[in-house]
Amino acid sequence: IITPLLSKIIIELLGKLAESKTKVVDSAELSLLSIAHSSCVDISYICNAGTKRVKSTDSKGGRTVKARLQFMDNLIAEFGDEVGWKRVLEFAIASKAFDHKDGGVRDAAKSAVVTLMAIHGEEVLQPLENCEQISERQLSEYRAKYAAIIDSQVKDDHLHQFTREYEMQMASKRAPRRRAR
């Protein structure tokens, strides 16, 4: 009984993501993320609803596809590997987001791919290698961004390790020493 009602609410909220008023969009996104965090709803349910095919009239303008991709990007960043990455890529490809006339749609698709790569690695690019919408240049851009993410993670790990070692050294220097009597 609750699933049909919840489904209608989620569909309405997904539609609100494409509104022009920022408050409406922010509220819709917050509501969807709250539903996703709920113990009563599985994250895959939100992911499936968010990646349903957009009507061709809505996809031509780009606002709906861009809003959905941005929401999916936020959902991926929030829930990580719980979000089905293949479904997100299929949605982007079916919506022709990678070669859309609107640069905002292309940027949203690129951002979602990079976020997916940060979580799942280069295997995300495999479905895109045979996609007509994506050029070799774009694939190499994605690989470069992924390499930069990995490089920054390695630098962060080294920085954290260095900071811990430094703090331990400083703590041992500050420790009160007992005087021999």
Side-chain angles (χ1 to χ4, degrees):
I1 297 174
I2 199 160
T3 304
L5 295 174
L6 190 59
S7 178
K8 289 178 182 179
I9 292 169
I10 291 171
I11 290 168
E12 280 297 314
L13 289 170
L14 286 167
K16 297 293 181 188
L17 292 174
E19 293 283 323
S20 60
K21 295 181 180 175
T22 308
K23 282 187 177 183
V24 172
V25 173
D26 291 344
S27 298
E29 185 168 2
L30 181 62
S31 298
L32 284 165
L33 288 173
S34 296
I35 292 170
H37 276 287
S38 169
S39 61
C40 300
V41 178
D42 188 36
I43 186 65
S44 63
Y45 192 74
I46 302 289
C47 183
N48 289 343
T51 55
K52 279 190 179 169
R53 194 168 203 140
V54 176
K55 295 177 191 173
S56 62
T57 54
D58 291 337
S59 68
K60 287 183 181 175
R63 181 179 272 180
T64 304
V65 174
K66 177 182 165 186
R68 291 266 185 102
L69 284 170
Q70 288 173 336
F71 171 69
M72 294 309 298
D73 191 15
N74 291 337
L75 198 66
I76 295 162
E78 184 86 18
F79 290 95
D81 59 358
E82 294 180 49
V83 177
W85 64 268
K86 289 181 181 179
R87 189 141 172 114
V88 175
L89 287 182
E90 289 169 2
F91 171 75
I93 291 169
S95 302
K96 299 181 179 176
F98 295 104
D99 66 350
H100 200 277
K101 64 181 181 181
D102 184 354
V105 175
R106 292 192 306 270
D107 291 343
K110 182 191 296 186
S111 179
V113 169
V114 171
T115 304
L116 287 169
M117 288 178 70
I119 295 166
H120 299 285
E122 283 196 62
E123 71 178 304
V124 172
L125 291 182
Q126 289 173 354
L128 298 178
E129 288 174 350
N130 299 326
C131 179
E132 294 175 4
Q133 299 175 32
I134 298 178
S135 66
E136 268 308 310
R137 182 185 59 78
Q138 286 174 305
L139 285 173
S140 62
E141 262 183 53
Y142 293 148
R143 286 188 180 98
K145 285 193 179 279
Y146 177 66
I149 289 169
I150 295 300
D151 188 42
S152 72
Q153 288 174 346
V154 169
K155 285 180 182 176
D156 284 348
D157 289 345
H158 288 299
L159 179 63
H160 289 298
Q161 183 178 356
F162 174 76
T163 305
R164 274 191 300 248
E165 289 172 2
Y166 178 75
E167 287 172 351
M168 289 173 63
Q169 287 175 352
M170 295 307 292
S172 67
K173 287 181 182 179
R174 284 183 287 209
R177 296 183 186 181
R178 291 189 171 180
R179 292 185 191 171
R181 293 185 184 195

